[in-house]
Each structure stands twice: as structure tokens, then as C-alpha cells.
Amino acid sequence: MTLLQVENLSVGYKTKKGILHAVNDISFTLEQGRSLGFVGESGCGKTTIGMTLMGLLPENAVITQGAIHFNGSNLLHFKDEQWRNFRGKGISMVFQAAMNALNPVIRVDEQIMEAIEVHSPDIPKTEIYKQVKNLFNMVQISEDRLRDYPHQYSGGMKQRAIIAMALACNPKLIIADEPTTALDVIVQDQILQEIKKIKKALNTSVIFISHDIAVVADVCEDICVMYGGQIVEKGKREEVFKSPRHPYTKTLLASYLSLDSDKNIKVLEIQKPPDLITLTGGCRFADSCKHKSKNCENHTPGWVDLSPTHQAFCFEDILNKDNND
Amino acid sequence: MIEDNTQPAPIIELSGVTKEYRTKATFFSKGYTNVMAMDNISLTLQRGEIFGLVGQSGSGKTTLGRLLLKLESPTKGIMKFNGKPINDLKGKDLKTYRSKVQMIFQDPYQSLNPHLSIAETILEPLIVNKIGDIHSRKEKVIETLDTVSLAPGKEYYDRFPHQLSGGQRQRVAIARAIVLDPEFIVADEPTSMLDATIAIQLFKLLQQIRKKYNMTFLFITHNLAAAQFLCDRIAVIHDGVIVETGPTDRVIQQPEHPYTKKLIQAQPKFNF
């Protein structure tokens, strides 16, 4: 069952110099129980997508076109009241800065109870407390830490508590925006395994946003690679990471350092990121692309099907050329 | 650790360095407790090498960096720089020491003063240490900007930090650190806030600088892969104790300590 369908979504921010096109003509679908990852560098628009889905865009943002169908309703037609009921229940979000996402003067259990109380005022308190205990069991925080204040938690525990809070109202979709960026590798590994386990147990869909491709590759079944506000390659994880076709995806994979990396890896230098205020018609990655031709500067690339599930936003001749070297 | 006797004198020598922090006694607590941030650490850094210090948050790796910069003093142990003890440096000697030892911080969004232009940021160390005159300083700044690949230097001279990207800011921070031609630089997670493509460019830059000026680096990180890419030797630190030291490739390919193995296991990999 298709849970989320985003069609031709474009989001811009009003600035003094004009509208900054942060997200440009993006389409993707997400099935119930599947996980989708967005990877790209800072400023490529991945967080803007998450914020649009949550209805949390700042004042100066404008949605210039597109539709977001979630479970039969178009989210872009929601009024404030509807958004309030929807957040947490339909989609909930795990934010980047776990350290700052909890209220420091309220005990952790009360913060999670509050989330449930707001959405279902009829449930008695004892029942809610039972649910909170279950949530804590699920994210593996021991029950005697329920009454603690956030400052008594370590970074990893805070992030677990945030995940528990995101799960509190049984959302159909969880958006995790760089949930492990502030954590070190060992704790990161634990949290990622936790997210995978929960997704499997509850059949929740997950959208995972990160700049770290290995983290996304660990959690997500489907991948969208973003550059300059556009999706440039999408497909199954195996397709995108084992046989990348778009020159940007290749660059991104080449610059990823793992323990198996060759010390002499040649790094393609990425030039300045594209100017998203004054858009030119051509490919946005052209300046950094080693296969750039006249065509790339003057014509907008199109989607090229590489397999039924794997597509790249480029020109066919370049994709073929790149595949041969 | 067995040192090769034919090697020249080390630039940094730590023996038995211990740092304890004492938590404050508050109204509710039963009194103070001692937190051992670093426990009996002995290390030597050879001139011209990039030495990696790898560990989790809270393992004491930043404390070691702060001690070497003389921002804090050790509770016990001896620290030597070029063979001379630096534990009790004061006044003029301390100032001279600090001009030879520089720091690159983690977050380029916080480590640069937003009110100072790029030129003023990099000029400041020269002015403080009374090096050169107005003209030679300006030349030196432009030369340093070129070194960190913010070229042409003139173009960046009058800009402000908010006009630069994260990677460019970190280059400015590196320029500020190398402008005094220091002998030793402590880089504390310099790329953890940056994208992979930018991070690797900065690593290449650090390698170039090391080669050009024969500088010594202490690279503090939690990312083993980054340490493997950049460092000649690494030390793995856990709960204030160095559990394993050696040439980078040896430590990563044949880890001896269980904690090193755990750290390697937790590195994100493409296995699906």
C-alpha cells in the first residue's frame, strides 16, 4: 500500500535577493513499512523536505507547486488545526539535535506522557503510564530512569528518549533527520540497530535524512541522492550504492572514507554549490562534472530509466559514457 | 611501547600525565567526587608526523588537546616540548610556547569571530606576537590564504565569516593556525561538522601543509576511517586510558585490545 506520494514538490525561501529554490520538482513514493533515505550535502534541500512533510516550514518559505498525498489526504491543504492533530499521529519526526529537543525542566516520563495526552485525552493516566513504560522497554532504557531529568541522560539515551516520544502516538511514518550526527560511532551503531528493529516490529515507514551515506545504506531500503535541491538518482539501495550511475553519486561514494578506502583515492573536487536563486536552465552539477558538455550547460537533464526501480537525472549519453570507464 | 633509538628527539613527550577534575560539592550532593579524565598517559610525537588520537565522546581525547595547549595543567606527570618541560611555563615563556603550538577547533561556525573580517582574523596572531609591519603582515596573510587554497587571497581578504561556507571557514581557521609558522598543531575533530566531500579536501590540505612546513599534527577524532586516511600513527583512548598505540595500519588491521576491536566493529560499513 502506498503511504506517501509526493508529486512535483517545489519549495522556496523568500530572501532579499529573490526566491531561493531549496527543493525543486521532487517526486517520490513510499510504501507502508518501507524505509527511504535522502542523502546529500548540506544545503541540498533534504531537511526542507522533512520540514514540508511535517508542516513545520518557517514563515518565509513558499510551496510553489506540487502535492503531498498521505494516506488519501493532500497535506498541503491542511489547516493549522488539522496539522496539530496530524503531527505525531500521522508523521512524527526525530530531530537532529537530540540534546536540545527535550525540555530540561520536565522529567522525561512526563514529556512523553504529555505527547500521548494531547492526542488522546480520553485515555486514563495509569493506562498512559503503562504505554510510556512499554515505549521505554522498546527503546531499551531501563524503567528506573523514567523519572530522571534530561540532563541525567547521556547523549545516546536522550536520542532513545526522543525516539520513544516519536513513537508515542503510533505514527505511520517517522522522519529521522540526522538522528545520529551528534553521537559517536558506538552509540550511533546502537541507535541505528534500534531504529531498524522498531521499524520491523511496528511496520512503521521511515524516512531517513543524512549526509552520511553509510548510515543511510545501513537503515534504508530505497535511496534518493540529492544535489542542489533536486533528486539526481533514486533506486533500491543495492542499485544506487553498488552500481551508481549519476556522476554526483559516484563522487559522493568516492569521497566516503571507510576502513577499506585506498589511501591514494583521487577525489573529484566539487566546485561551488549551484546558485539556487538565479537558476540556469542546465544541469546543476555541470560545473563539477568531468563529463560536462555544451549540452549540459544549456539543457535541463531528464530522468533516464536504468532499471524498473533505478533512475538517474542526467543525459543518456553521459550515463553510458560514465559507465564504460 | 618500544621506541627506535635512532629516531631524532621527539617534539612532544608525555610521561605519566594524569588529569583529574573535581566536581563541585553542591547543597544536595554528599561532597565532591574526582573524575579521572586522563589516567597515566605516556606518549611521544615525532617531528613531522600526523598522530591520531581516537576515542568516543568522554574518553578524554579533548582533555589531552587542552593540556598540550596549556589551557589546563595536568594533575600529575611531565609534559615536554622539544625536550624541555612545559608544565610550569609562565609569562613570556608561555607566550612563546603558545606561538609555536596552535589549535584548530571542531566547529568553524563558532571558532571564528563574526565581527572580524578574514584578514583581521588571520592578522591577529601576527599583531599579538608583534611580527612584521603593516605591509609584511598583509603579504603574509595573502600568502597564507593561498596556502589553504582560498585563492586568490585578495578576494577573501575583506570578507566576513558569514559570507563563507563551512569548508571555507575551516580553511580560514587553518590559515589562522599556520600563520605563525607553528611547530605543532592540535586539530580537534576539524571535519566532523563538514560533508564528506569537503572533509577529504581538508585532509589533503593538512597533508600538504605537513609536507611543506614539516609541521607536527595531533589529530583528535572519533572517526577511525578518517584517522586511517590521515595519520601515520594512532592511539586509541578509552575512559582516559590509552589502550593501544601503533602505526595506523597495524592497529586497524590487527587490533589487539578488545576496545579497538569494538570500535572497528561499530564503524558504518556498506554491508547489505
Side-chain angles (χ1 to χ4, degrees):
Chain A
M1 192 188 83
T2 303
L3 178 70
L4 173 73
Q5 187 171 11
V6 174
E7 288 168 0
N8 307 98
L9 180 72
S10 293
V11 185
Y13 294 105
K14 286 183 220 152
T15 68
K16 278 182 193 157
K17 291 179 202 153
I19 288 190
L20 186 142
H21 303 272
V23 166
N24 215 296
D25 200 20
I26 274 180
S27 307
F28 61 88
T29 54
L30 178 62
E31 306 287 317
Q32 177 72 49
R34 272 188 90 79
S35 50
L36 173 67
F38 284 94
V39 261
E41 287 167 74
S42 355
C44 73
K46 44 192 202 306
T47 296
T48 302
I49 294 179
M51 289 304 191
T52 313
L53 291 173
M54 285 294 281
L56 288 174
L57 286 169
E59 290 268 297
N60 66 336
V62 273
I63 296 170
T64 47
Q65 62 158 344
I68 304 174
H69 299 288
F70 183 85
N71 227 0
S73 40
N74 188 343
L75 299 188
L76 296 183
H77 295 157
F78 270 16
K79 303 260 178 325
D80 284 0
E81 179 69 35
Q82 284 169 297
W83 270 120
R84 266 200 296 280
N85 288 325
F86 175 75
R87 280 184 214 121
K89 243 179 184 171
I91 305 181
S92 66
M93 192 152 179
V94 177
F95 290 97
Q96 186 165 4
M99 312 298 158
N100 310 324
L102 291 167
N103 188 333
V105 295
I106 301 178
R107 291 178 196 275
V108 178
D109 58 345
E110 285 167 23
Q111 297 193 39
I112 299 175
M113 280 175 76
E114 190 188 346
I116 305 175
E117 270 170 0
V118 168
H119 284 282
S120 10
D122 308 330
I123 306 178
K125 274 217 160 167
T126 46
E127 181 61 30
I128 292 180
Y129 208 74
K130 225 186 258 167
Q131 285 187 20
V132 173
K133 275 189 183 165
N134 281 340
L135 287 167
F136 263 58
N137 283 332
M138 200 180 292
V139 296
Q140 295 188 356
I141 305 178
S142 76
E143 281 182 20
D144 54 344
R145 301 301 296 272
L146 270 165
R147 296 291 294 157
D148 281 5
Y149 285 98
H151 76 267
Q152 293 170 291
Y153 278 18
S154 67
M157 282 174 81
K158 278 185 205 166
Q159 196 57 280
R160 283 167 198 266
I162 298 280
I163 293 172
M165 201 187 284
L167 290 170
C169 299
N170 295 317
K172 295 201 163 58
L173 167 64
I174 295 175
I175 302 174
D177 185 359
E178 307 261 13
T180 59
T181 307
L183 307 172
D184 57 60
V185 278
I186 290 182
V187 183
Q188 164 172 289
D189 194 44
Q190 291 164 354
I191 298 282
L192 294 181
Q193 301 320 316
E194 208 69 61
I195 291 176
K196 281 202 282 192
K197 222 173 66 196
I198 289 167
K199 175 192 156 270
K200 215 171 167 189
L202 304 178
N203 198 30
T204 317
S205 303
V206 175
I207 288 185
F208 202 96
I209 299 170
S210 181
H211 69 278
D212 190 331
I213 45 176
V215 167
V216 172
D218 194 354
V219 180
C220 302
E221 293 144 347
D222 301 310
I223 307 289
C224 290
V225 181
M226 290 192 69
Y227 183 79
Q230 294 171 319
I231 297 176
V232 294
E233 182 161 358
K234 55 184 168 186
K236 289 202 164 69
R237 147 175 76 189
E238 291 77 10
E239 293 171 323
V240 175
F241 288 144
K242 289 224 166 109
S243 49
R245 296 288 295 276
H246 194 283
Y248 177 66
T249 314
K250 291 184 176 180
T251 309
L252 204 59
L253 283 164
S255 7
Y256 188 79
L257 283 178
S258 74
L259 290 180
D260 314 320
S261 294
D262 185 352
K263 269 204 174 180
N264 303 314
I265 50 173
K266 253 203 148 166
V267 184
L268 298 160
E269 293 248 332
I270 292 211
Q271 302 301 320
K272 258 200 307 209
D275 180 0
L276 296 178
I277 293 176
T278 43
L279 292 173
T280 57
C283 171
R284 293 183 189 175
F285 187 61
D287 282 346
S288 313
C289 185
K290 59 176 174 175
H291 301 296
K292 183 176 98 171
S293 68
K294 272 252 158 66
N295 207 13
C296 299
E297 280 181 347
N298 304 325
H299 294 92
T300 315
W303 282 104
V304 179
D305 285 326
L306 305 163
S307 87
T309 51
H310 188 191
Q311 288 117 32
F313 192 67
C314 194
F315 297 100
E316 201 148 348
D317 53 327
I318 287 178
L319 289 174
N320 290 334
K321 188 164 35 172
D322 210 31
N323 214 28
N324 293 335
D325 60 31
Chain B
M1 203 173 65
I2 303 154
E3 285 294 334
D4 188 351
N5 287 332
T6 57
Q7 275 177 335
I11 179 163
I12 296 279
E13 223 179 327
L14 302 181
S15 43
V17 173
T18 299
K19 176 73 187 170
E20 276 178 25
Y21 289 104
R22 181 172 283 196
T23 58
K24 271 185 196 142
T26 60
F27 185 70
F28 294 108
S29 67
K30 285 169 196 141
Y32 64 81
T33 46
N34 283 339
V35 179
M36 191 78 95
M38 278 174 49
D39 191 2
N40 200 13
I41 282 185
S42 302
L43 268 184
T44 49
L45 268 66
Q46 300 300 334
R47 185 173 294 276
E49 81 173 336
I50 302 184
F51 188 89
L53 189 63
V54 187
Q56 265 181 288
S57 6
S59 60
K61 52 192 197 304
T62 297
T63 304
L64 182 57
R66 292 179 64 86
L67 288 177
L68 284 171
L69 282 156
K70 293 291 294 165
L71 295 171
E72 284 176 57
S73 300
T75 320
K76 260 194 300 204
I78 297 165
M79 305 196 296
K80 280 184 184 166
F81 177 71
N82 282 337
K84 287 183 193 128
I86 52 165
N87 286 43
D88 302 315
L89 285 183
K90 277 196 189 78
K92 215 175 169 185
D93 293 338
L94 180 60
K95 202 173 164 186
T96 321
Y97 173 71
R98 285 208 175 126
S99 71
K100 288 181 191 155
V101 179
Q102 292 287 319
M103 174 94 181
I104 301 166
F105 292 94
Q106 179 169 13
D107 186 352
Y109 290 87
Q110 287 179 19
S111 69
L112 298 178
N113 186 338
H115 296 288
L116 297 185
S117 72
I118 303 312
E120 286 166 326
T121 303
I122 303 171
L123 274 171
E124 197 156 273
L126 295 173
I127 296 170
V128 168
N129 287 290
K130 301 194 177 74
I131 294 169
D133 55 27
I134 287 180
H135 301 291
S136 70
R137 280 176 196 160
K138 187 172 176 178
E139 260 169 44
K140 178 77 186 169
V141 169
I142 289 175
E143 186 198 312
T144 313
L145 282 171
D146 283 336
T147 309
V148 297
S149 305
L150 288 174
K154 274 186 192 128
E155 205 175 284
Y156 290 90
Y157 200 77
D158 289 320
R159 291 209 205 169
F160 283 87
H162 71 265
Q163 294 168 305
L164 304 180
S165 68
Q168 288 172 329
R169 283 178 209 223
Q170 200 60 296
R171 283 173 195 269
V172 173
I174 294 174
R176 179 178 58 186
I178 63 169
V179 73
L180 291 173
D181 299 319
E183 292 176 37
F184 176 54
I185 291 182
V186 177
D188 191 354
E189 304 258 18
T191 60
S192 67
M193 310 282 291
L194 305 172
D195 289 315
T197 46
I198 309 293
I200 206 157
Q201 290 173 22
L202 283 179
F203 290 155
K204 296 246 161 173
L205 176 65
L206 292 180
Q207 285 172 335
Q208 280 166 20
I209 291 171
R210 183 260 294 260
K211 215 169 165 188
K212 195 166 162 187
Y213 301 102
N214 197 28
M215 271 179 208
T216 314
F217 285 88
L218 177 71
F219 178 65
I220 300 175
T221 185
H222 68 267
N223 184 346
L224 256 185
Q228 172 174 281
F229 182 75
L230 195 62
C231 302
D232 307 306
R233 289 194 302 143
I234 58 173
V236 179
I237 184 168
H238 178 51
D239 282 345
V241 180
I242 289 183
V243 296
E244 191 161 357
T245 325
T248 312
D249 291 334
R250 204 280 296 153
V251 173
I252 287 169
Q253 274 149 28
Q254 294 146 358
E256 276 160 14
H257 195 276
Y259 179 75
T260 315
K261 288 179 189 161
K262 198 173 151 195
L263 206 59
I264 291 170
Q265 193 58 39
Q267 291 291 314
K269 328 173 189 46
F270 292 98
N271 45 355
F272 39 76

